[in-house]
Amino acid sequence: MERHVLESLLAGDDEASVTALATLRGGATYWVADRAQPAGVHARVFDRRLQRMRRHGFEPLGLGRAVQLIREHGRPVRTGMIDVADRTWTTLLFLTEDGSALVACAGWPLPLVARKPPL
């Protein structure tokens, strides 16, 4: 997927999308999976990760909303990642099966410590 296409998909006004777009435009690297996986699989995996993060006192940016949107989408999704150059922040993307639309995104600092988004 070309960078400008991904930038156009991140046109939402939620905090996770705004942060993802800013990091991408700031020179972050990214990748998008070639194939999709069932939405239910992703929803279960990332719901467990969300619960584990919360148990450790950490609230990832937009992950709760992403799990909900993936469940509602109900169709296979492709995943992707955006990583800032200094590896202090990562964004997880969920795209439609054909990659033509963003279903949801979420982000968190690396390593998992309380830190503000890189804006």
Side-chain angles (χ1 to χ4, degrees):
M1 176 174 289
E2 293 185 37
R3 183 175 293 266
H4 73 277
V5 172
L6 184 53
E7 286 180 2
S8 69
L9 296 178
L10 292 168
D13 60 359
D14 62 286
E15 191 176 1
S17 295
V18 170
T19 301
L21 181 57
T23 59
L24 188 62
R25 287 183 173 162
T29 59
Y30 72 95
W31 62 266
V32 174
D34 291 331
R35 41 177 272 212
Q37 299 292 324
V41 170
H42 285 301
R44 281 188 301 278
V45 166
F46 287 100
D47 187 45
R48 283 193 303 266
R49 288 184 186 179
L50 174 61
Q51 299 313 314
R52 192 171 35 234
M53 287 179 188
R54 285 178 172 165
R55 276 195 303 274
H56 292 283
F58 183 75
E59 184 65 35
L61 183 63
L63 189 54
R65 182 173 184 265
V67 168
Q68 176 186 351
L69 291 172
I70 295 163
R71 280 192 180 118
E72 290 172 4
H73 181 68
R75 293 181 301 283
V77 292
R78 292 169 60 183
T79 56
M81 298 290 285
I82 300 172
D83 294 311
V84 296
D86 65 3
R87 300 282 297 146
T88 58
W89 188 266
T90 192
T91 299
L92 176 63
L93 307 170
F94 297 97
L95 306 167
T96 56
E97 187 170 10
D98 64 1
S100 66
L102 180 71
V103 175
C105 69
W108 52 86
L110 297 173
L112 284 177
V113 295
R115 215 183 293 159
K116 292 184 179 180
L119 290 180

